[in-house]
Amino acid sequence: MAGIHITDIEAAINYWRAQKPSPDGITLCAELRALAEVYALLVYYHEDEADEASMPPKARAAWLAWYETTPDTPCIAICSTFQGDALCKGCGRTFEEVQLWPAMGPVEKRATWRRITQEGTSWRFNRYAERAAEGRLPAID
């Protein structure tokens, strides 16, 4: 089972900081408090990922609310897996990831997003980056 990477927890924390800023510079909203506890434990134990199954419900709900604001698929409608490529030149996903995407959960999808972002070799991240960012292409899965 994939875990929720610390960078996703940081992104969720930053999302909630923007959504519900502290009124006094000290007080945190409930979503931030829940995520901050998980983040602190990851840092303390030198871990990179939080276990989805054991994540406190309030923290998981706050993370999922952030997740819903992210793009669902890395697809830019330039797929090469149907041509026999093991790795799509357009989005960077494997043939299996493209096929199983609709059945994958949020944590698995984010793990895939993390991998393809780190690799940064697909067309999504270079020659078609502007189109992917603008969302002009319909997602095809």
Side-chain angles (χ1 to χ4, degrees):
M1 174 186 282
I4 299 173
H5 197 269
I6 194 169
T7 56
D8 273 359
I9 294 175
E10 289 171 346
I13 286 170
N14 289 330
Y15 168 80
W16 285 108
R17 286 179 61 207
Q19 293 300 307
K20 296 183 178 181
S22 173
D24 57 10
I26 299 170
T27 309
L28 299 177
C29 67
E31 295 87 355
L32 272 172
R33 285 193 308 273
L35 289 166
E37 181 181 339
V38 172
Y39 185 82
L41 289 171
L42 288 174
V43 170
Y44 181 79
Y45 288 109
H46 303 282
E47 298 286 336
D48 290 336
E49 293 182 343
D51 179 37
E52 177 186 17
S54 63
M55 193 170 197
K58 289 181 182 178
R60 187 169 193 284
W63 183 82
L64 283 171
W66 163 78
Y67 168 80
E68 291 298 325
T69 69
T70 64
D72 178 56
T73 178
C75 182
I76 60 168
I78 302 174
C79 191
S80 68
T81 58
F82 72 90
Q83 297 172 352
D85 288 345
L87 198 64
C88 179
K89 290 181 177 94
C91 70
R93 292 179 292 172
T94 66
F95 177 76
E96 183 178 11
E97 288 167 342
V98 170
Q99 297 301 309
L100 297 176
W101 193 262
M104 291 170 86
V107 175
E108 294 170 304
K109 288 181 179 181
R110 288 303 304 163
T112 302
W113 268 103
R114 178 172 164 67
R115 180 187 57 74
I116 66 171
T117 302
Q118 283 184 316
E119 290 171 357
T121 57
S122 66
W123 292 347
R124 161 175 261 293
F125 299 108
N126 49 47
R127 67 173 81 168
Y128 293 102
E130 309 84 34
R131 291 169 67 186
E134 293 173 4
R136 289 191 299 187
L137 297 175
I140 299 173
D141 278 326

